Amino acid sequence: MIQSLPALRRQFDSEQKQFHDFPADDPRCLQPLSLDQCKKQAKQLLKALNQGQAWSRTASHPKAESLQADQLKLADAQLIIAREQGFPSWPKLKHHVEASEMAARAIQSGRPDPLDGQLRTLHIRCGTDVMYKLAVAGFRGDFLCFADPYIQGPVPAETDRQRFIDIRSSFIANSNWRLKPQAVKDLTADYDALEQIGDYQRVCFWFEHDAYDVLVFSKLLHFLQDRTKRPEQMAFICVDHYPGVARFNGIGQLPVETMPLLWQQFTPLEEHHIEFGRQCWEAYTAPTPEALSQIVNLQAPAFPQILPALKRHIKELPWRADGLSLSERLTLQILHEQGPQDGAKLFYHWYTSVYEPLAFMGDSSYWKVLSHLVEARRPAIELVKGSSKPIDWQVSLTGFGRKLLAGEGHWQSHNDYDVWFGGVHNRTPGKLWYWDDEIGRVIQA
């Protein structure tokens, strides 16, 4: 459903809503950069480098091979500090800090600039996590949450829209996320809203680098291959980091004052982006993963920002070595190395913030991973639920789980398998598609 951001701002104020803040010691928490602190760090670094210390930090300097300790200047140390923070230069770091402070002051005053006010704009995101933040930050356009979780369940190459909605809503209902009539209603409304994209002067896609976002983005790009459905202007952001954040999982974890800074990073969406997105979507929805395997091995993709997510997600196919997806194996590793624990800590801390190389799942999707490991003829974990709250769940390894980790067992040798990966219906009996990590491609065995 498309919603007005100014109306959402009024709702936010009237209901006295508040944004979630991470604890200061949480790696997902933004530690705002201080220009004075960066200057101090640069002076300390220069002193150390002149003494022949901390020389490994010069690796980020564009002239690292020719640097000499007795010839370094403060500008060299400042450039290294900027590069370590993710900026190409010291002036870029300085601009970011100053712009961040200006944005925070404008939002605190209650009178931020309407950054999107020049054109009738639709902002699209695969979740509601930034919806109120955009409203509070002063954006004046409309907002569409398009959040069909394509990372799980059947996503076949179905050309009949209503048939596709029925397939997806059945999966959502079977996952106990929503009753099917409500799922059909919600998905139909979302897909109807897509047809209104062309009514806007500009559409902006707010996405990050994980599989959940990238698969939704690919679907939208596939939709936009029809030129008659496009607005006058299109722009996107696909974020993989933010300065001052140690563990970046997504835009939603960032505070409201970062929204104007992200707005400065938007890039025009061009024809080669749309074409590559179409290819990715058709590869993901194909009945075999061979085309997707070819895409993830491209050396120079037309849309490089979305490739890391696909490289990670193809590893959700069962692996040839043990029959486990990467998420399943990481779960077993956590329980082996960190010991039995409650479900909340398992997911929110260890899996999401420590072990997972590219977090892409919400908690409800992760609970499906746990269910697959426990609801089998020969389970790999034991899950005891004290209540419906994950903090009251106790999760531990079984003997079979330990054997799988030790390379002494194979999941499909002991359990039936019936899992969808995009358009691939992997099930026994019959040959399954596996990810072979040694050769970096899919095989059927």
Side-chain angles (χ1 to χ4, degrees):
M1 180 175 66
I2 295 176
Q3 300 185 72
S4 162
L5 287 172
L8 289 169
R9 172 60 191 266
R10 292 191 292 272
Q11 179 188 6
F12 184 89
D13 291 340
S14 65
E15 297 179 6
Q16 298 182 334
K17 294 180 179 292
Q18 294 183 340
F19 296 120
H20 169 74
D21 293 323
F22 291 105
D25 60 348
D26 192 306
R28 294 169 293 176
C29 179
L30 171 65
Q31 306 294 339
L33 298 180
S34 162
L35 194 57
D36 288 340
Q37 185 65 24
C38 289
K39 289 178 179 178
K40 182 179 179 180
Q41 291 173 356
K43 291 178 180 178
Q44 293 173 340
L45 176 59
L46 177 61
K47 182 179 179 180
L49 292 174
N50 285 337
Q51 296 173 352
Q53 302 171 1
W55 202 252
S56 61
R57 295 178 65 181
T58 64
S60 61
H61 196 290
K63 298 180 180 179
E65 295 181 359
S66 61
L67 292 179
Q68 297 182 29
D70 59 349
Q71 296 180 3
L72 289 174
K73 299 179 180 180
L74 181 60
D76 294 307
Q78 289 177 336
L79 177 56
I80 293 171
I81 293 295
R83 291 291 183 93
E84 290 177 343
Q85 294 292 345
F87 298 97
S89 67
W90 178 260
K92 291 289 186 181
L93 182 152
K94 186 172 182 289
H95 170 78
H96 173 85
V97 173
E98 293 172 346
S100 297
E101 293 173 349
M102 289 176 60
R105 287 195 298 269
I107 292 170
Q108 289 168 5
S109 73
R111 297 185 298 274
D113 293 333
L115 300 174
D116 61 345
Q118 310 92 337
L119 299 173
R120 184 166 182 256
T121 303
L122 176 64
H123 301 273
I124 301 181
R125 169 94 176 123
C126 57
T128 59
D129 51 358
V130 303
M131 183 173 70
Y132 285 107
K133 292 177 182 179
L134 294 180
V136 173
F139 290 88
R140 300 290 179 85
D142 292 340
F143 183 88
L144 170 61
C145 169
F146 190 88
D148 195 343
Y150 300 130
I151 55 170
Q152 290 178 329
V155 193
E158 176 60 62
T159 57
D160 183 274
R161 195 190 80 160
Q162 205 53 48
R163 172 60 182 158
F164 183 78
I165 289 175
D166 183 69
I167 292 170
R168 294 300 300 162
S169 58
S170 294
F171 164 71
I172 291 171
N174 291 336
S175 301
N176 296 317
W177 295 338
R178 273 171 285 178
L179 295 176
K180 183 167 181 179
Q182 187 62 48
V184 171
K185 180 180 178 181
D186 292 344
L187 288 182
T188 301
D190 289 345
Y191 284 91
D192 284 345
L194 286 186
E195 301 293 338
Q196 301 179 47
I197 286 180
D199 296 338
Y200 289 83
Q201 294 174 292
R202 174 175 58 196
V203 173
C204 297
F205 301 92
W206 294 74
F207 288 90
E208 61 233 14
H209 62 318
D210 65 72
Y212 190 108
D213 285 47
V214 162
L215 291 174
V216 172
F217 196 17
S218 297
K219 167 62 178 176
L220 297 176
L221 296 177
H222 182 269
F223 174 82
L224 291 171
Q225 68 178 319
D226 184 344
R227 294 174 181 270
T228 66
K229 297 180 179 180
R230 300 180 189 178
E232 297 174 15
Q233 294 184 24
M234 296 180 289
F236 75 94
I237 188 171
C238 193
V239 194
D240 62 1
H241 73 282
Y242 194 87
V245 176
R247 176 74 179 190
F248 180 82
N249 292 332
I251 302 172
Q253 77 188 71
L254 300 176
V256 63
E257 63 268 21
T258 65
M259 299 298 113
L261 277 295
L262 291 176
W263 180 249
Q264 298 177 12
Q265 300 178 29
F266 269 77
T267 301
L269 187 69
E270 299 177 348
E271 194 63 42
H272 68 277
H273 296 127
I274 295 172
E275 172 59 20
F276 190 71
R278 178 195 66 79
Q279 294 174 13
C280 291
W281 180 254
E282 292 181 356
Y284 186 60
T285 58
T288 79
E290 295 165 293
L292 188 63
S293 180
Q294 293 175 359
I295 287 176
V296 301
N297 284 301
L298 290 175
Q299 297 301 312
F303 203 161
Q305 294 95 323
I306 70 176
L307 201 62
L310 300 179
K311 285 179 176 288
R312 164 61 186 91
H313 194 58
I314 201 169
K315 295 180 181 180
E316 284 303 282
L317 283 167
W319 285 33
R320 183 180 185 181
D322 54 20
L324 298 172
S325 70
L326 181 54
S327 294
E328 293 167 346
R329 186 179 307 99
L330 291 175
T331 298
L332 300 190
Q333 288 177 356
I334 294 168
L335 295 172
H336 173 69
E337 294 171 7
Q338 308 301 332
Q341 57 195 276
D342 67 77
K345 187 175 183 181
L346 172 63
F347 174 69
Y348 296 109
H349 176 64
W350 290 117
Y351 177 79
T352 300
S353 298
V354 180
Y355 279 73
E356 171 56 59
L358 190 52
F360 67 99
M361 279 192 287
D363 51 9
S364 58
S365 294
Y366 185 69
W367 307 147
K368 287 185 66 65
V369 174
L370 294 188
S371 295
H372 186 251
L373 291 171
V374 73
E375 295 172 0
R377 184 166 59 248
R378 193 169 184 187
I381 64 172
E382 183 178 3
L383 176 60
V384 179
K385 294 185 177 182
S387 75
S388 61
K389 298 178 180 179
I391 197 171
D392 295 325
W393 301 355
Q394 190 65 16
V395 190
S396 59
L397 273 178
T398 64
F400 181 53
R402 294 187 183 89
K403 286 188 175 182
L404 288 170
L405 278 178
E408 299 172 356
H410 196 281
W411 181 264
Q412 284 78 19
S413 296
H414 298 272
N415 295 299
D416 296 329
Y417 195 80
D418 189 346
V419 178
W420 281 85
F421 176 86
V424 181
H425 193 182
N426 246 359
R427 57 182 172 178
T428 52
K431 290 185 176 181
L432 298 179
W433 285 100
Y434 289 95
W435 172 254
D436 191 323
D437 204 51
E438 292 185 1
I439 61 175
R441 63 179 178 85
V442 297
I443 62 166
Q444 193 175 29

